[in-house]
Amino acid sequence: MSKRFALICVLLGVLGAQAVAKEIDIKFLESKPKGLARDFYIWRFLSDENTSLQDALKAYELVHRKTPKLKALLEQKGMPHELPRDLQCARLDFKTLLAQDLECVSYGLKLSQVPHLSPQNLKALKAKIAPNKNLSTKVEILSSKTILTKMLQSDAKTFAQIYNSLTQKQRETLINQTIKPQRLKKLANENTPAFDKMLQGIILSDSLPRFKKSLLNAHITKASPYTLFLLGINELMAKNTNNALAYFRLAQSTSKDTFLHNKALFWQYLVSKDKKLLSKLAQSTNVDIYTIYANQKLQSTPQYTIITDFTPLSKKKPPFNIQDPFEWEILRANLLQVSDTKALDELTQEFAFVDSLAHMAYVHNRATRYQNNYFLSPFAQKIKWKNTDQKALTYAIARQESNFLPALISTSYALGMMQIMPFNVVPFAKSMGLKDIKLEDMFNPVIALEFGRFYLGELEREFKHPLFVAYAYNGGPGFLRRTLGQKKLFIKNRKYEPWLSMELIPYEESRIYGLKVLANYIVYEELFGNNITLEQLLKTTLIN
């Protein structure tokens, strides 16, 4: 055992001795390191109706990441809650707000109200905010008779901030107009994150069709790579294939993200049918839906490396508790301090246990500078799988959710390898016929796999296709029902389907998540002996 790892284990041993508490109290919380794991237990402590306000306030002082959820629990305890000044001022009506100081007015002014203010109120407002040049500029624009023209004459950041402050109805009235493409090009080329995000939202929505049409032929060159890609999609939907190709090439050449680089390269092939592009894509060392497609289409040998296991692995227990979220946080923090690849490579062997396979892959991935693709299937032999499809989809989701790390806790307190939300644990257990299930059981990888497998089965019964199941697992079944219910996506006989629909899923996280899970699923099916042709699988998504 290396000296560095021995020291980590000593720290973990001290912690592990008090890892399991019969009940959560202040002493227990104070004994734990600051981080998401302790926040999760603080949330549980605050959720307990027997926790006094005094103890709740003590616990709240220990919080690492304060959230509205935790603040709401304190309010329920009867905490005399004083809102931060920005929220206090935001609650004031216009007349009361105008009587406050400049800071409060700056916090509380709703810019969407400005176009409707009377001349008297507008004059008083302008006098009050005069020292704040940034706010004064926005009010001046919104009080003019040509709001959009003034917005276009401003800078990209100001334009986006005003846009974000408007109601949807105001956007449809004020912003949804025909605009000279050159004006939009000037703003977009400032490459401002807020303006970028605004453009992405407009392209992915049908709510501002005139504005979206105005982006055509703008020939923007300096936006972010993903915005450039979506501008290509926008041109493609308008059948401007040459413009679309130009945007895809630009997105590819400027992107540092391999996934987006491959996406842009794939779309160039999809539009041009140039097999040289497909051959180039097939040379990628990254496993994603685009490289899988390229290699299957060309019947070529993939250039990416897939690691499914490490040998030899000891069946003994690892020197740390894989089910303790506190131990994982300490371990991860210590590992992140090690940057030397040789040292990391030496540390890899300290995790050579069957139960810590995921941790070994985590360290190995850093030691090899993320050159490999890990498709593990830990604890598979402890599950009675219904069939290969179930096994492949479960591990496809687990890989995306947690990289198989058993004691992971998310910022929303999703738990364990399958990232089960706490509010789902009891209902799932009841449906599964399980008793005495605790939230901590989600850190048990075998139980987590069983719960994930159960939930996936519920989603499969409704949504059928693994891509749709992935969308629902991430964004929620309600989100997917609403999205598919509009019948604007996955349309039969529409050009570039279903690839086009897969880029138009409205929720960004779910859009990317679905693409990555589907790639995982294809790889796992092959690893488990069932070769699936991606192109054929995608055809079955066309339901409208």
Side-chain angles (χ1 to χ4, degrees):
M1 183 181 291
S2 67
K3 291 182 180 179
R4 187 190 301 274
F5 192 66
L7 177 60
I8 293 173
C9 288
V10 169
L11 291 171
L12 294 178
V14 172
L15 180 62
Q18 35 181 313
V20 180
K22 291 182 179 179
E23 61 178 327
I24 304 168
D25 55 22
I26 290 296
K27 186 177 180 181
F28 170 81
L29 295 173
E30 288 177 340
S31 72
K32 299 305 177 186
K34 191 175 186 178
L36 282 175
R38 186 167 71 174
D39 283 1
F40 164 67
Y41 281 95
I42 291 172
W43 166 73
R44 290 181 61 187
F45 185 63
L46 297 180
S47 300
D48 187 343
E49 60 182 17
N50 295 318
T51 299
S52 68
L53 173 60
Q54 183 179 5
D55 283 345
L57 289 170
K58 288 180 182 178
Y60 189 71
E61 290 303 310
L62 301 173
V63 172
H64 166 62
R65 188 175 181 273
K66 291 180 169 61
T67 64
K69 184 188 296 187
L70 294 176
K71 291 178 182 177
L73 288 173
L74 274 183
E75 289 184 22
Q76 290 174 19
K77 296 289 182 188
M79 184 186 77
H81 184 56
E82 183 176 339
L83 288 172
R85 192 152 195 250
D86 57 339
L87 296 181
Q88 287 182 19
C89 296
R91 292 188 174 189
L92 300 177
D93 61 73
F94 182 79
K95 184 177 180 181
T96 307
L97 180 66
L98 207 56
Q100 308 303 312
D101 60 26
L102 174 58
E103 181 184 55
C104 190
V105 174
S106 301
Y107 282 142
L109 180 63
K110 296 178 180 61
L111 289 173
S112 59
Q113 294 179 338
V114 173
H116 309 295
L117 293 178
S118 66
Q120 183 179 358
N121 283 337
L122 191 58
K123 183 178 180 180
L125 174 63
K126 288 182 177 180
K128 171 72 75 171
I129 66 172
N132 187 329
K133 299 301 181 185
N134 184 275
L135 185 58
S136 292
T137 297
K138 294 171 191 170
V139 169
E140 201 64 50
I141 290 171
L142 285 167
S143 61
S144 73
K145 293 182 179 179
T146 54
I147 293 176
L148 182 57
T149 299
K150 296 293 184 183
M151 286 175 68
L152 291 166
Q153 291 171 352
S154 68
D155 58 82
K157 184 177 180 180
T158 300
F159 189 107
Q161 288 175 342
I162 292 176
Y163 173 88
N164 291 330
S165 72
L166 299 175
T167 65
Q168 184 58 35
K169 187 175 180 180
Q170 285 176 318
R171 291 175 186 173
E172 292 170 1
T173 303
L174 300 173
I175 308 299
N176 189 34
Q177 300 181 36
T178 301
I179 305 165
K180 290 182 179 180
Q182 288 304 107
R183 288 192 173 185
L184 292 176
K185 178 179 181 178
K186 177 179 176 297
L187 292 171
N189 280 346
E190 292 179 27
N191 198 10
T192 302
F195 194 82
D196 247 23
K197 202 70 178 174
M198 182 200 77
L199 287 183
Q200 293 172 18
I202 290 172
I203 291 169
L204 291 166
S205 170
D206 293 326
S207 62
L208 304 178
R210 290 181 180 174
F211 186 102
K212 186 156 73 169
K213 189 175 180 181
S214 298
L215 289 167
L216 300 174
N217 297 305
H219 304 295
I220 294 162
T221 57
K222 296 179 181 177
S224 72
Y226 186 58
T227 298
L228 292 169
F229 172 78
L230 285 182
L231 286 165
I233 293 292
N234 190 44
E235 295 282 358
L236 199 62
M237 292 175 72
K239 300 181 180 180
N240 298 333
T241 55
N242 288 335
N243 288 351
L245 281 169
Y247 275 125
F248 295 150
R249 290 189 196 103
L250 198 52
Q252 177 205 339
S253 64
T254 57
S255 177
K256 294 180 181 179
D257 176 66
T258 305
F259 181 72
L260 180 53
H261 176 277
N262 288 349
K263 182 199 293 284
L265 187 57
F266 169 80
W267 274 91
Q268 290 174 61
Y269 160 76
L270 203 60
V271 174
S272 69
K273 298 302 179 184
D274 183 352
K275 284 196 174 182
K276 290 180 182 177
L277 295 167
L278 207 58
S279 296
K280 187 175 181 180
L281 187 56
Q283 296 301 308
S284 174
T285 58
N286 190 64
V287 179
D288 55 48
I289 197 169
Y290 311 109
T291 56
I292 290 173
Y293 177 90
N295 281 290
Q296 286 190 351
K297 197 77 172 175
L298 296 173
Q299 297 183 333
S300 56
T301 301
Q303 297 303 299
Y304 43 72
T305 301
I306 288 180
I307 294 178
T308 61
D309 207 348
F310 295 92
T311 54
L313 293 176
S314 172
K315 292 183 180 180
K316 293 180 181 179
K317 290 291 183 184
F320 63 97
N321 184 356
I322 66 167
Q323 298 183 35
D324 189 325
F326 295 107
E327 293 200 13
W328 166 240
E329 282 194 352
I330 290 177
L331 190 56
R332 181 176 179 273
N334 279 280
L335 289 170
L336 288 175
Q337 292 180 25
V338 184
S339 57
D340 180 66
T341 53
K342 185 178 179 181
L344 284 166
D345 189 50
E346 291 174 358
L347 276 174
T348 299
Q349 296 308 310
E350 307 290 354
F351 296 88
F353 300 86
V354 172
D355 286 356
S356 58
L357 175 62
H359 306 81
M360 189 175 186
Y362 175 86
V363 181
H364 191 260
N365 203 14
R366 293 192 63 227
T368 55
R369 298 189 183 276
Y370 307 96
Q371 293 300 306
N372 302 313
N373 303 277
Y374 301 83
F375 283 81
L376 313 176
S377 49
F379 309 100
Q381 72 283 0
K382 296 186 178 182
I383 305 290
K384 292 183 179 179
W385 301 101
K386 181 181 176 182
N387 51 40
T388 299
D389 285 350
Q390 183 190 68
K391 186 178 178 182
L393 185 56
T394 302
Y395 279 112
I397 293 286
R399 183 178 191 267
Q400 200 57 38
E401 288 289 346
S402 65
N403 276 322
F404 315 107
L405 294 164
L408 207 63
I409 298 177
S410 76
T411 54
S412 59
Y413 309 142
L415 307 173
M417 188 186 291
M418 299 300 292
Q419 291 289 277
I420 304 295
M421 292 301 296
F423 59 78
N424 277 330
V425 172
V426 172
F428 286 2
K430 186 177 180 181
S431 298
M432 295 165 71
L434 300 176
K435 295 181 180 179
D436 301 322
I437 289 291
K438 307 180 294 297
L439 294 187
E440 283 86 357
D441 289 325
M442 295 305 102
F443 302 134
N444 180 319
V446 177
I447 295 176
L449 284 169
E450 291 284 15
F451 270 65
R453 184 175 69 157
F454 166 78
Y455 186 36
L456 287 170
E458 295 286 295
L459 295 175
E460 277 189 289
R461 275 188 279 277
E462 179 175 358
F463 299 112
K464 314 301 181 188
H465 199 283
L467 177 63
F468 296 156
V469 171
Y471 288 146
Y473 197 96
N474 178 261
F479 153 75
L480 188 58
R481 288 187 202 109
R482 292 189 297 273
T483 300
L484 297 181
Q486 295 173 3
K487 297 189 176 182
K488 294 179 179 179
L489 299 177
F490 300 99
I491 299 171
K492 295 176 182 178
N493 301 320
R494 183 166 71 171
K495 202 169 184 181
Y496 307 119
E497 286 289 359
W499 298 99
L500 183 60
S501 289
M502 289 155 66
E503 299 300 344
L504 296 177
I505 293 292
Y507 184 26
E508 182 179 5
E509 183 182 318
S510 294
R511 181 165 64 249
I512 297 170
Y513 183 93
L515 291 168
K516 293 192 173 183
V517 166
L518 194 61
N520 294 347
Y521 173 74
I522 295 288
V523 173
Y524 275 115
E525 284 280 17
E526 183 174 349
L527 291 174
F528 299 151
N530 185 20
N531 293 330
I532 289 181
T533 303
L534 176 59
E535 193 169 24
Q536 292 301 317
L537 180 63
L538 287 177
K539 284 181 180 179
T540 60
T541 63
L542 302 179
I543 56 177
N544 293 317

